[in-house]
Amino acid sequence: MLIRLLTSALLAGAVAGLIAALLQLYFVQPVLLHAELYEGGELVHFGSASTVSAIQDLGGIDLVRDGLSVVFTMLVYTAYAMILLALMSQAETRGAAITARSGLIWGVAGFVVVHLAPGFSLAPEVPGVAAADVGLRQIWWFATVGLAGVALWLIAFAKNWLGWGAAVVLLLAPHVYGAPEPDVFTGPVPTEIGALFAARAFGVGLAVWVILGGFAGYFWTRLAEDDATTQTA
């Protein structure tokens, strides 16, 4: 079981992580690099006598930086795959069918837990915007992700209104409490760039989590079939 879980996670995480890295390099990284020009003062979008073009030369590919981004993204999604498959295996013992198709639903659930739930109150941010203390934001983020994970498990496997009601409370609690916010709003980055970054971060996150869930379910099922074939041969 452990070998099957690790193998499935490595395969699914590597594929999803590579796709995530490529999507981020093409869609997300240019927005970050553009924001950094405003953060460093190279561009000014208001209070300037001249009009600044919204289209900027952001440079080409940096093999070291972009290569490391690909490697670390694959590692991160491999870790996500291990968590996802551990939960899938537990669900399977409770009678849930784990397939590539059902894995898509697990992927959507992973996106909700890791991206959408915390992002509802603590949206993805570009460099140069006002933000609260990073330590407080990390604590709030981990708490929100943990509560959202428990909530979705209850929604899926609870058998009465008490469990479903508890799930709603867990989902709402961190947002009712409130995410850490800065004392004042400052920052030189145009709001259009911040909005585009948040939209693309969520879009890429959803796409990759669905891919991760699908591949996790596929490899989990495929390896189980291979094990069964080996035992009967």
Side-chain angles (χ1 to χ4, degrees):
M1 175 70 75
L2 180 59
I3 298 300
R4 178 182 166 202
L5 189 153
L6 292 176
T7 304
S8 300
L10 287 172
L11 293 172
V15 174
L18 178 59
I19 294 173
L22 295 177
L23 291 175
Q24 288 169 358
L25 289 175
Y26 188 82
F27 291 107
V28 180
Q29 181 169 284
V31 184
L32 286 173
L33 295 177
H34 196 176
E36 288 177 354
L37 295 178
Y38 289 96
E39 180 189 27
E42 298 175 52
L43 295 179
V44 179
H45 71 101
F46 62 87
S48 175
S50 59
T51 302
V52 177
S53 173
I55 302 174
Q56 295 291 325
D57 181 10
L58 303 175
I61 297 174
D62 185 318
L63 291 178
V64 175
R65 179 194 63 198
D66 297 340
L68 289 174
S69 294
V70 171
V71 172
F72 285 123
T73 303
M74 293 175 70
L75 290 174
V76 167
Y77 276 93
T78 298
Y80 281 149
M82 289 182 181
I83 297 172
L84 193 63
L85 281 159
L87 294 172
M88 284 180 167
S89 66
Q90 288 300 310
E92 192 173 52
T93 62
R94 302 168 69 95
I98 303 301
T99 63
R101 180 172 294 182
S102 66
L104 301 178
I105 300 174
W106 281 86
V108 172
F111 165 77
V112 171
V113 169
V114 176
H115 293 271
L116 189 59
F120 183 76
S121 292
L122 199 61
E125 300 169 345
V126 293
V129 301
D133 177 73
V134 65
L136 294 176
R137 286 184 291 153
Q138 288 175 335
I139 292 172
W140 186 90
W141 187 90
F142 279 109
T144 303
V145 168
L147 292 175
V150 175
L152 262 65
W153 185 271
L154 289 174
I155 291 172
F157 297 107
K159 298 181 179 180
N160 52 56
W161 284 103
L162 180 63
W164 298 327
V168 173
V169 172
L170 292 176
L171 283 173
L172 292 176
H175 305 287
V176 172
Y177 177 81
E181 295 286 352
D183 295 327
V184 294
F185 291 113
T186 60
V189 182
T191 56
E192 294 85 352
I193 292 180
L196 179 61
F197 173 73
R200 289 195 171 179
F202 280 130
V204 170
L206 176 58
V208 176
W209 269 98
V210 170
I211 292 170
L212 178 65
F215 275 112
Y218 169 77
F219 286 121
W220 180 258
T221 304
R222 181 64 180 271
L223 290 175
E225 293 173 352
D226 291 345
D227 289 343
T229 301
T230 302
Q231 292 174 2
T232 57

